[in-house]
């Protein structure tokens, strides 16, 4: 038992040292302008993975990557503005970052735009626009977009009421594990 504990402790020390080296290398790449490294470093700080969680540092690195056109960084920056993480909450700023990301085909940003249009966050409420963005995201397999699109068809919001389409999208969302969709198919 003691031998296993010593081996486990040794493995943890080696893992921590390797992690510190990885962070150092990632930071060097990020400082050299590598957008993927900037994005990954932002995620590490935003989630507190092996470092203290720091939304301001996450915002800084996401901004650097987003300004280079990194679609996922643009979406995550939008999330930070929408939730007020490390920055003042600002739906209009969130929308601006989501639209940049969504226009590059990022399915999460497309879903987020659908939500913003549906709820009128940062933009005038517009169910037709919500359906358009949910459809783009759903076509890429986003389960949340599939569920929301099903609701839109079920209730006739932004589209003609269509129970067949609603069932189709509920079924797609259910296959992806959205339990509430499974109850509605």
């Amino acid at each position: 038992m003691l031998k296993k504990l010593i081996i486990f402790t040794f493995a943890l020390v080696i893992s921590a040292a390797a992690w510190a080296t990885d962070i150092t290398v990632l930071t060097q790449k990020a400082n050299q302008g590598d957008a993927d490294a900037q994005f990954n470093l932002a995620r590490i700080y935003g989630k507190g993975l092996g470092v203290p969680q720091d939304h301001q540092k996450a915002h800084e690195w996401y901004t650097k990557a987003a300004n280079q056109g990194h679609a996922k960084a643009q979406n995550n920056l939008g999330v930070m503005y929408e939730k007020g993480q490390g920055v003042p909450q600002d739906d209009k700023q969130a929308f601006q970052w989501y639209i940049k990301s969504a226009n590059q085909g990022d399915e999460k940003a497309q879903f987020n735009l659908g939500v913003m249009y549906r709820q009128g966050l940062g933009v005038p409420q517009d169910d037709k626009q919500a359906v358009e963005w949910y459809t783009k995201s759903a076509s890429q397999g986003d389960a949340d977009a599939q569920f929301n699109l099903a609701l839109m068809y079920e209730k006739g919001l932004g589209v003609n009421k269509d129970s067949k389409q609603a069932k189709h999208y509920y079924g797609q969302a259910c296959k992806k594990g959205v339990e509430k969709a499974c109850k509605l198919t």
Side-chain angles (χ1 to χ4, degrees):
M1 180 69 177
L2 181 60
K3 185 177 179 181
K4 286 183 181 180
L5 182 59
I6 291 170
I7 291 171
F8 178 73
T9 303
F10 182 69
L12 284 177
V13 170
I14 290 174
S15 294
W19 181 252
T21 301
D22 289 345
I23 293 285
T24 301
V25 170
L26 195 59
T27 302
Q28 288 171 346
K29 287 181 178 182
N31 282 326
Q32 293 168 353
D34 182 314
D36 287 330
Q38 292 167 343
F39 170 75
N40 288 323
L41 200 54
R43 287 186 62 220
I44 287 169
Y45 281 112
K47 294 181 183 287
L49 302 173
V51 298
Q53 188 175 40
D54 187 332
H55 289 299
Q56 289 176 335
K57 281 188 179 179
H59 176 264
E60 174 187 334
W61 288 113
Y62 278 138
T63 300
K64 289 179 181 188
N67 284 334
Q68 292 189 67
H70 194 288
K72 293 204 178 301
Q74 291 168 337
N75 177 63
N76 288 6
L77 199 51
V79 170
M80 292 189 83
Y81 278 104
E82 185 178 356
K83 294 182 177 181
Q85 293 177 327
V87 293
Q89 195 282 333
D90 186 335
D91 287 333
K92 288 183 181 181
Q93 274 291 331
F95 178 84
Q96 293 304 314
W97 286 112
Y98 287 151
I99 196 79
K100 288 178 183 184
S101 180
N103 283 333
Q104 292 187 69
D106 185 86
E107 72 277 2
K108 286 295 178 194
Q110 292 168 342
F111 168 75
N112 290 335
L113 280 176
V115 171
M116 294 198 85
Y117 275 114
R118 176 70 189 107
Q119 295 179 2
L121 301 172
V123 292
Q125 196 279 334
D126 186 333
D127 285 338
K128 287 184 181 183
Q129 283 290 314
V131 167
E132 181 180 325
W133 289 108
Y134 286 150
T135 300
K136 288 178 182 185
S137 181
S139 71
Q140 294 189 68
D142 186 272
D144 293 322
Q146 291 166 339
F147 181 81
N148 285 10
L149 192 54
L151 285 172
M152 302 297 275
Y153 276 107
E154 180 181 16
K155 298 178 183 208
L157 301 170
V159 291
N160 291 329
K161 218 175 199 185
D162 187 333
S163 60
K164 187 175 180 181
Q165 280 289 72
K167 281 189 174 230
H168 167 75
Y169 284 111
Y170 281 136
Q172 293 297 309
C174 177
K175 287 178 190 174
K176 297 252 172 60
V178 178
E179 290 185 32
K180 58 188 172 185
C182 298
K183 297 173 185 171
L184 299 169
T185 55

XYZ file of all heavy atoms in Angstrom, residues 1 8 11 22 30 57 67 75 78 88 91 101 104 113 117 121 163 174:
136
model
N 0.826 -1.195 0.000
C 0.000 0.000 0.000
C 0.867 1.253 0.000
O 0.587 2.187 -0.737
C -0.935 -0.050 1.218
C -1.843 1.127 1.323
S -3.053 1.058 -0.002
C -4.015 2.433 0.378
N 2.047 6.929 -6.668
C 0.996 7.886 -7.002
C 1.473 9.314 -6.751
O 1.289 10.199 -7.582
C -0.274 7.586 -6.192
C -1.389 8.551 -6.437
C -2.103 8.508 -7.631
C -1.731 9.510 -5.494
C -3.135 9.405 -7.876
C -2.749 10.411 -5.723
C -3.459 10.355 -6.921
N 3.947 10.325 -9.355
C 3.261 10.612 -10.625
C 2.615 11.988 -10.594
O 2.641 12.724 -11.592
C 2.220 9.528 -10.908
N 4.104 22.902 -19.782
C 3.128 23.116 -20.853
C 2.572 24.538 -20.823
O 2.424 25.170 -21.859
C 1.969 22.117 -20.744
C 2.367 20.691 -21.100
O 3.446 20.509 -21.699
O 1.601 19.770 -20.769
N 1.658 32.008 -27.152
C 0.607 33.033 -27.125
C 1.228 34.424 -27.247
O 0.727 35.274 -27.990
C -0.213 32.917 -25.850
N -7.701 37.692 -17.155
C -6.665 37.137 -18.039
C -7.304 36.368 -19.191
O -6.832 36.431 -20.326
C -5.699 36.237 -17.267
C -4.653 36.996 -16.493
C -3.616 36.049 -15.908
C -2.566 36.842 -15.151
N -1.550 35.965 -14.556
N -9.312 38.938 -32.084
C -8.898 39.996 -33.009
C -8.110 39.458 -34.200
O -7.974 40.142 -35.205
C -8.090 41.076 -32.277
C -8.976 41.972 -31.448
O -10.163 42.140 -31.726
N -8.417 42.542 -30.400
N -16.561 33.613 -30.082
C -17.760 33.138 -29.394
C -17.574 33.211 -27.885
O -18.446 33.703 -27.170
C -18.106 31.704 -29.803
C -19.306 31.187 -29.041
O -20.406 31.710 -29.162
N -19.086 30.197 -28.203
N -17.849 36.585 -26.595
C -19.259 36.942 -26.540
C -19.916 36.426 -25.269
O -20.687 37.136 -24.617
N -17.656 44.187 -17.765
C -19.041 44.561 -17.468
C -20.000 43.822 -18.420
O -19.681 43.639 -19.601
C -19.080 46.069 -17.725
C -17.658 46.513 -17.652
C -16.831 45.348 -18.117
N -24.761 43.104 -23.520
C -25.364 42.271 -24.562
C -25.001 42.740 -25.963
O -24.873 41.920 -26.874
C -26.887 42.234 -24.406
C -27.331 41.394 -23.216
O -26.605 40.456 -22.824
O -28.416 41.680 -22.674
N -18.189 35.409 -35.034
C -17.938 33.975 -34.942
C -18.942 33.179 -35.779
O -18.566 32.262 -36.520
C -18.011 33.540 -33.477
O -17.785 32.166 -33.353
N -18.436 32.881 -39.398
C -17.373 31.944 -39.769
C -17.838 30.490 -39.636
O -17.071 29.567 -39.855
C -16.138 32.159 -38.887
C -15.441 33.474 -39.127
C -14.158 33.533 -38.350
O -13.203 32.810 -38.652
N -14.132 34.373 -37.325
N -26.607 33.431 -31.076
C -27.324 34.498 -31.793
C -28.821 34.205 -31.828
O -29.640 35.120 -31.673
C -26.800 34.645 -33.221
C -25.520 35.428 -33.381
C -25.078 35.414 -34.840
C -25.661 36.854 -32.895
N -31.590 36.834 -30.477
C -32.727 37.319 -31.259
C -34.049 36.890 -30.632
O -35.000 37.663 -30.600
C -32.654 36.821 -32.705
C -31.798 37.693 -33.586
C -30.614 37.215 -34.122
C -32.185 38.990 -33.901
C -29.825 38.018 -34.948
C -31.408 39.799 -34.719
C -30.233 39.303 -35.238
O -29.468 40.103 -36.041
N -31.954 40.292 -26.763
C -30.791 40.691 -25.966
C -29.750 41.353 -26.865
O -29.157 40.694 -27.715
C -30.157 39.471 -25.279
C -31.060 38.685 -24.338
C -30.374 37.408 -23.885
C -31.452 39.541 -23.149
N -45.952 20.642 -36.676
C -45.685 19.611 -35.666
C -44.735 18.534 -36.187
O -43.970 17.955 -35.411
C -46.988 18.985 -35.171
O -47.679 18.380 -36.232
N -33.062 14.687 -28.946
C -33.146 13.523 -28.063
C -31.980 12.569 -28.328
O -31.348 12.091 -27.386
C -34.481 12.805 -28.265
S -34.660 11.303 -27.272
